[in-house]
Amino acid sequence: MGITRRLGNDDHDMEIAARMLRDGEVVAFPTETVYGLGADASNPAGIERIYEAKGRPRHNPLIVHVSDLDMARRMAEFNQNAELVAARFWPGPLTVLLPKKADAGLAPAVTAGLANVAIRFPSSQVAQRLIQAVRFPVAAPSANLSGKISTTRFAQVVRQLDSRIAGIIQDDACDHGLESTILSLIGAPTILRQGSVPQESLEELLGPMGEASEALVISAPGQLRSHYAPDAAVWIEIDQPTANMIWVGFGPRCDGCHLTLSASGDLEEAARSLYAIMVEADVLAKAGDVIGFASVPMYGLGRAINDRLRRAAAPRST
């Protein structure tokens, strides 16, 4: 690919980034969740470069990021539930799966040829300004190599994607630290991926809802079984460490842990720090070591944390 350009977040650099995207290049940019790897969602060349840079399977669709609700409505058929959740949770870390409009103008590979599209309206000002400068939705998965740890810091993006993409916008403002929740509104509301909007918050608005079982056929982003993984093997629900283990604690009773997601047991802190702690643990791990994570409660943001840990610990394809 060549040299990856470092960009700031001022108006001049934002226009440079937008021009790169309009020209079919790929630029990493921060959102309120994690760094995204963006391309103009109408440009087939740019979408192909996302898949190439990440090494992402072509059957795994992308999330389309918009800068306002009208832009989203031009992409998808909004139903009553979609209007309700958009009014409550947008802009913010919620992705909604809806039927794609025939005249949406999206490159076919954005949705991996499927009839539905995953849409998010991020609250990040950097992300909004970039989309506005492009003047079209930006397709963006997380800015990492496929299956590897998601990035929440500029240096992490550089470590994984330097020389593979055209540019990176430098602004460490990924406050949530976990990807968006993905909610399918095709039929009964169903959570396809736990994320930064807790299930309980969605159920307050829409009533009890199901969580999709492990997908045999990918219908939306974030459904790969093995994902978000460091190089070292990951073990989960470890409350007593073993030899050759980098132990990551949670809560006040993890004496002797090497690292902790949150010493006080704060789920928001744990979510913000999860990927950075994975990177740090991977650096500490020597050949033959494993990374063990203490149990995290299964409510609120704990559902999303456990989802990421479970996927990081899943068997990996070779």
Side-chain angles (χ1 to χ4, degrees), residues 138-160:
V138 170
S142 54
N144 57 303
L145 296 174
S146 184
K148 296 300 183 181
I149 303 171
S150 295
T151 53
T152 57
R153 296 291 182 267
F154 171 77
Q156 297 166 8
V157 183
V158 171
R159 189 176 299 115
Q160 292 198 45

PDB file of all heavy atoms in Angstrom, residues 138-160:
ATOM      1  N   VAL A 138     -20.646   6.529   5.286  1.00  0.00           N
ATOM      2  CA  VAL A 138     -19.329   5.892   5.320  1.00  0.00           C
ATOM      3  C   VAL A 138     -19.481   4.484   5.886  1.00  0.00           C
ATOM      4  O   VAL A 138     -19.977   4.303   7.001  1.00  0.00           O
ATOM      5  CB  VAL A 138     -18.340   6.714   6.171  1.00  0.00           C
ATOM      6  CG1 VAL A 138     -17.038   5.942   6.410  1.00  0.00           C
ATOM      7  CG2 VAL A 138     -18.046   8.055   5.492  1.00  0.00           C
ATOM      8  N   ALA A 139     -19.092   3.483   5.105  1.00  0.00           N
ATOM      9  CA  ALA A 139     -19.087   2.103   5.586  1.00  0.00           C
ATOM     10  C   ALA A 139     -17.834   1.892   6.419  1.00  0.00           C
ATOM     11  O   ALA A 139     -16.737   2.276   6.006  1.00  0.00           O
ATOM     12  CB  ALA A 139     -19.110   1.127   4.415  1.00  0.00           C
ATOM     13  N   ALA A 140     -17.988   1.292   7.602  1.00  0.00           N
ATOM     14  CA  ALA A 140     -16.821   1.165   8.475  1.00  0.00           C
ATOM     15  C   ALA A 140     -16.977   0.021   9.462  1.00  0.00           C
ATOM     16  O   ALA A 140     -17.790   0.112  10.389  1.00  0.00           O
ATOM     17  CB  ALA A 140     -16.579   2.472   9.233  1.00  0.00           C
ATOM     18  N   PRO A 141     -16.191  -1.045   9.298  1.00  0.00           N
ATOM     19  CA  PRO A 141     -16.028  -2.011  10.372  1.00  0.00           C
ATOM     20  C   PRO A 141     -14.986  -1.475  11.351  1.00  0.00           C
ATOM     21  O   PRO A 141     -14.464  -0.366  11.175  1.00  0.00           O
ATOM     22  CB  PRO A 141     -15.503  -3.240   9.631  1.00  0.00           C
ATOM     23  CG  PRO A 141     -14.679  -2.652   8.528  1.00  0.00           C
ATOM     24  CD  PRO A 141     -15.385  -1.381   8.121  1.00  0.00           C
ATOM     25  N   SER A 142     -14.660  -2.233  12.389  1.00  0.00           N
ATOM     26  CA  SER A 142     -13.621  -1.809  13.314  1.00  0.00           C
ATOM     27  C   SER A 142     -12.264  -1.806  12.612  1.00  0.00           C
ATOM     28  O   SER A 142     -12.011  -2.599  11.702  1.00  0.00           O
ATOM     29  CB  SER A 142     -13.586  -2.721  14.544  1.00  0.00           C
ATOM     30  OG  SER A 142     -13.456  -4.074  14.161  1.00  0.00           O
ATOM     31  N   ALA A 143     -11.393  -0.890  13.039  1.00  0.00           N
ATOM     32  CA  ALA A 143     -10.094  -0.690  12.373  1.00  0.00           C
ATOM     33  C   ALA A 143      -9.058  -1.632  12.977  1.00  0.00           C
ATOM     34  O   ALA A 143      -8.219  -1.243  13.787  1.00  0.00           O
ATOM     35  CB  ALA A 143      -9.656   0.763  12.505  1.00  0.00           C
ATOM     36  N   ASN A 144      -9.131  -2.901  12.565  1.00  0.00           N
ATOM     37  CA  ASN A 144      -8.199  -3.919  13.033  1.00  0.00           C
ATOM     38  C   ASN A 144      -8.116  -5.009  11.975  1.00  0.00           C
ATOM     39  O   ASN A 144      -8.964  -5.092  11.092  1.00  0.00           O
ATOM     40  CB  ASN A 144      -8.675  -4.511  14.370  1.00  0.00           C
ATOM     41  CG  ASN A 144     -10.069  -5.106  14.267  1.00  0.00           C
ATOM     42  OD1 ASN A 144     -11.025  -4.431  13.885  1.00  0.00           O
ATOM     43  ND2 ASN A 144     -10.203  -6.368  14.594  1.00  0.00           N
ATOM     44  N   LEU A 145      -7.104  -5.830  12.086  1.00  0.00           N
ATOM     45  CA  LEU A 145      -7.038  -7.004  11.229  1.00  0.00           C
ATOM     46  C   LEU A 145      -8.154  -7.958  11.615  1.00  0.00           C
ATOM     47  O   LEU A 145      -8.501  -8.077  12.798  1.00  0.00           O
ATOM     48  CB  LEU A 145      -5.679  -7.685  11.371  1.00  0.00           C
ATOM     49  CG  LEU A 145      -4.473  -6.856  10.901  1.00  0.00           C
ATOM     50  CD1 LEU A 145      -3.177  -7.584  11.234  1.00  0.00           C
ATOM     51  CD2 LEU A 145      -4.558  -6.550   9.410  1.00  0.00           C
ATOM     52  N   SER A 146      -8.730  -8.624  10.648  1.00  0.00           N
ATOM     53  CA  SER A 146      -9.891  -9.475  10.904  1.00  0.00           C
ATOM     54  C   SER A 146      -9.579 -10.509  11.980  1.00  0.00           C
ATOM     55  O   SER A 146      -8.577 -11.224  11.916  1.00  0.00           O
ATOM     56  CB  SER A 146     -10.307 -10.182   9.612  1.00  0.00           C
ATOM     57  OG  SER A 146     -11.479 -10.939   9.821  1.00  0.00           O
ATOM     58  N   GLY A 147     -10.458 -10.552  12.994  1.00  0.00           N
ATOM     59  CA  GLY A 147     -10.311 -11.501  14.077  1.00  0.00           C
ATOM     60  C   GLY A 147      -9.460 -11.018  15.220  1.00  0.00           C
ATOM     61  O   GLY A 147      -9.482 -11.606  16.314  1.00  0.00           O
ATOM     62  N   LYS A 148      -8.700  -9.928  15.034  1.00  0.00           N
ATOM     63  CA  LYS A 148      -7.792  -9.434  16.061  1.00  0.00           C
ATOM     64  C   LYS A 148      -8.476  -8.392  16.953  1.00  0.00           C
ATOM     65  O   LYS A 148      -9.630  -8.018  16.740  1.00  0.00           O
ATOM     66  CB  LYS A 148      -6.534  -8.857  15.416  1.00  0.00           C
ATOM     67  CG  LYS A 148      -5.699  -9.894  14.662  1.00  0.00           C
ATOM     68  CD  LYS A 148      -5.229 -11.001  15.598  1.00  0.00           C
ATOM     69  CE  LYS A 148      -4.354 -12.003  14.903  1.00  0.00           C
ATOM     70  NZ  LYS A 148      -3.910 -13.090  15.817  1.00  0.00           N
ATOM     71  N   ILE A 149      -7.733  -7.918  17.937  1.00  0.00           N
ATOM     72  CA  ILE A 149      -8.280  -7.000  18.933  1.00  0.00           C
ATOM     73  C   ILE A 149      -8.732  -5.701  18.268  1.00  0.00           C
ATOM     74  O   ILE A 149      -7.989  -5.103  17.483  1.00  0.00           O
ATOM     75  CB  ILE A 149      -7.239  -6.684  20.020  1.00  0.00           C
ATOM     76  CG1 ILE A 149      -6.746  -7.979  20.679  1.00  0.00           C
ATOM     77  CG2 ILE A 149      -7.822  -5.759  21.078  1.00  0.00           C
ATOM     78  CD1 ILE A 149      -5.566  -7.782  21.618  1.00  0.00           C
ATOM     79  N   SER A 150      -9.933  -5.238  18.594  1.00  0.00           N
ATOM     80  CA  SER A 150     -10.400  -3.946  18.104  1.00  0.00           C
ATOM     81  C   SER A 150      -9.541  -2.831  18.692  1.00  0.00           C
ATOM     82  O   SER A 150      -8.950  -2.976  19.766  1.00  0.00           O
ATOM     83  CB  SER A 150     -11.866  -3.731  18.485  1.00  0.00           C
ATOM     84  OG  SER A 150     -12.692  -4.671  17.841  1.00  0.00           O
ATOM     85  N   THR A 151      -9.476  -1.718  17.989  1.00  0.00           N
ATOM     86  CA  THR A 151      -8.588  -0.628  18.377  1.00  0.00           C
ATOM     87  C   THR A 151      -9.378   0.543  18.957  1.00  0.00           C
ATOM     88  O   THR A 151     -10.399   0.947  18.408  1.00  0.00           O
ATOM     89  CB  THR A 151      -7.768  -0.149  17.168  1.00  0.00           C
ATOM     90  OG1 THR A 151      -8.656   0.160  16.081  1.00  0.00           O
ATOM     91  CG2 THR A 151      -6.798  -1.222  16.703  1.00  0.00           C
ATOM     92  N   THR A 152      -8.869   1.088  20.053  1.00  0.00           N
ATOM     93  CA  THR A 152      -9.477   2.269  20.671  1.00  0.00           C
ATOM     94  C   THR A 152      -8.489   3.426  20.794  1.00  0.00           C
ATOM     95  O   THR A 152      -8.845   4.471  21.312  1.00  0.00           O
ATOM     96  CB  THR A 152     -10.014   1.922  22.074  1.00  0.00           C
ATOM     97  OG1 THR A 152      -8.939   1.400  22.885  1.00  0.00           O
ATOM     98  CG2 THR A 152     -11.126   0.891  21.994  1.00  0.00           C
ATOM     99  N   ARG A 153      -7.273   3.217  20.313  1.00  0.00           N
ATOM    100  CA  ARG A 153      -6.227   4.230  20.390  1.00  0.00           C
ATOM    101  C   ARG A 153      -5.486   4.299  19.054  1.00  0.00           C
ATOM    102  O   ARG A 153      -5.311   3.296  18.367  1.00  0.00           O
ATOM    103  CB  ARG A 153      -5.225   3.911  21.508  1.00  0.00           C
ATOM    104  CG  ARG A 153      -5.827   3.929  22.916  1.00  0.00           C
ATOM    105  CD  ARG A 153      -6.202   5.344  23.323  1.00  0.00           C
ATOM    106  NE  ARG A 153      -6.737   5.414  24.680  1.00  0.00           N
ATOM    107  CZ  ARG A 153      -8.029   5.350  24.977  1.00  0.00           C
ATOM    108  NH1 ARG A 153      -8.914   5.184  23.995  1.00  0.00           N
ATOM    109  NH2 ARG A 153      -8.439   5.450  26.224  1.00  0.00           N
ATOM    110  N   PHE A 154      -5.038   5.499  18.734  1.00  0.00           N
ATOM    111  CA  PHE A 154      -4.310   5.739  17.487  1.00  0.00           C
ATOM    112  C   PHE A 154      -3.134   4.780  17.336  1.00  0.00           C
ATOM    113  O   PHE A 154      -2.931   4.182  16.273  1.00  0.00           O
ATOM    114  CB  PHE A 154      -3.836   7.198  17.464  1.00  0.00           C
ATOM    115  CG  PHE A 154      -2.895   7.534  16.345  1.00  0.00           C
ATOM    116  CD1 PHE A 154      -3.362   7.729  15.063  1.00  0.00           C
ATOM    117  CD2 PHE A 154      -1.529   7.664  16.599  1.00  0.00           C
ATOM    118  CE1 PHE A 154      -2.485   8.047  14.025  1.00  0.00           C
ATOM    119  CE2 PHE A 154      -0.654   7.980  15.572  1.00  0.00           C
ATOM    120  CZ  PHE A 154      -1.134   8.170  14.282  1.00  0.00           C
ATOM    121  N   ALA A 155      -2.354   4.604  18.408  1.00  0.00           N
ATOM    122  CA  ALA A 155      -1.162   3.756  18.330  1.00  0.00           C
ATOM    123  C   ALA A 155      -1.525   2.312  18.006  1.00  0.00           C
ATOM    124  O   ALA A 155      -0.761   1.611  17.327  1.00  0.00           O
ATOM    125  CB  ALA A 155      -0.381   3.826  19.641  1.00  0.00           C
ATOM    126  N   GLN A 156      -2.691   1.851  18.483  1.00  0.00           N
ATOM    127  CA  GLN A 156      -3.117   0.480  18.190  1.00  0.00           C
ATOM    128  C   GLN A 156      -3.473   0.323  16.712  1.00  0.00           C
ATOM    129  O   GLN A 156      -3.209  -0.724  16.107  1.00  0.00           O
ATOM    130  CB  GLN A 156      -4.306   0.109  19.069  1.00  0.00           C
ATOM    131  CG  GLN A 156      -3.995   0.096  20.557  1.00  0.00           C
ATOM    132  CD  GLN A 156      -5.246   0.070  21.415  1.00  0.00           C
ATOM    133  OE1 GLN A 156      -6.360  -0.094  20.907  1.00  0.00           O
ATOM    134  NE2 GLN A 156      -5.082   0.236  22.721  1.00  0.00           N
ATOM    135  N   VAL A 157      -4.083   1.355  16.131  1.00  0.00           N
ATOM    136  CA  VAL A 157      -4.407   1.318  14.701  1.00  0.00           C
ATOM    137  C   VAL A 157      -3.116   1.256  13.883  1.00  0.00           C
ATOM    138  O   VAL A 157      -2.994   0.463  12.944  1.00  0.00           O
ATOM    139  CB  VAL A 157      -5.248   2.532  14.278  1.00  0.00           C
ATOM    140  CG1 VAL A 157      -5.644   2.427  12.809  1.00  0.00           C
ATOM    141  CG2 VAL A 157      -6.488   2.679  15.143  1.00  0.00           C
ATOM    142  N   VAL A 158      -2.154   2.103  14.256  1.00  0.00           N
ATOM    143  CA  VAL A 158      -0.865   2.109  13.552  1.00  0.00           C
ATOM    144  C   VAL A 158      -0.225   0.732  13.623  1.00  0.00           C
ATOM    145  O   VAL A 158       0.279   0.205  12.613  1.00  0.00           O
ATOM    146  CB  VAL A 158       0.069   3.180  14.159  1.00  0.00           C
ATOM    147  CG1 VAL A 158       1.474   3.051  13.580  1.00  0.00           C
ATOM    148  CG2 VAL A 158      -0.477   4.582  13.905  1.00  0.00           C
ATOM    149  N   ARG A 159      -0.257   0.103  14.797  1.00  0.00           N
ATOM    150  CA  ARG A 159       0.399  -1.192  14.977  1.00  0.00           C
ATOM    151  C   ARG A 159      -0.198  -2.249  14.046  1.00  0.00           C
ATOM    152  O   ARG A 159       0.525  -3.089  13.504  1.00  0.00           O
ATOM    153  CB  ARG A 159       0.260  -1.634  16.441  1.00  0.00           C
ATOM    154  CG  ARG A 159       1.085  -2.872  16.798  1.00  0.00           C
ATOM    155  CD  ARG A 159       0.970  -3.194  18.279  1.00  0.00           C
ATOM    156  NE  ARG A 159       1.468  -2.113  19.107  1.00  0.00           N
ATOM    157  CZ  ARG A 159       0.714  -1.397  19.942  1.00  0.00           C
ATOM    158  NH1 ARG A 159      -0.588  -1.645  20.057  1.00  0.00           N
ATOM    159  NH2 ARG A 159       1.234  -0.438  20.653  1.00  0.00           N
ATOM    160  N   GLN A 160      -1.503  -2.211  13.832  1.00  0.00           N
ATOM    161  CA  GLN A 160      -2.138  -3.247  13.021  1.00  0.00           C
ATOM    162  C   GLN A 160      -2.233  -2.904  11.535  1.00  0.00           C
ATOM    163  O   GLN A 160      -2.166  -3.810  10.688  1.00  0.00           O
ATOM    164  CB  GLN A 160      -3.547  -3.547  13.551  1.00  0.00           C
ATOM    165  CG  GLN A 160      -3.566  -4.227  14.911  1.00  0.00           C
ATOM    166  CD  GLN A 160      -4.903  -4.887  15.202  1.00  0.00           C
ATOM    167  OE1 GLN A 160      -5.480  -5.563  14.351  1.00  0.00           O
ATOM    168  NE2 GLN A 160      -5.409  -4.689  16.405  1.00  0.00           N
TER     169      GLN A 160
END
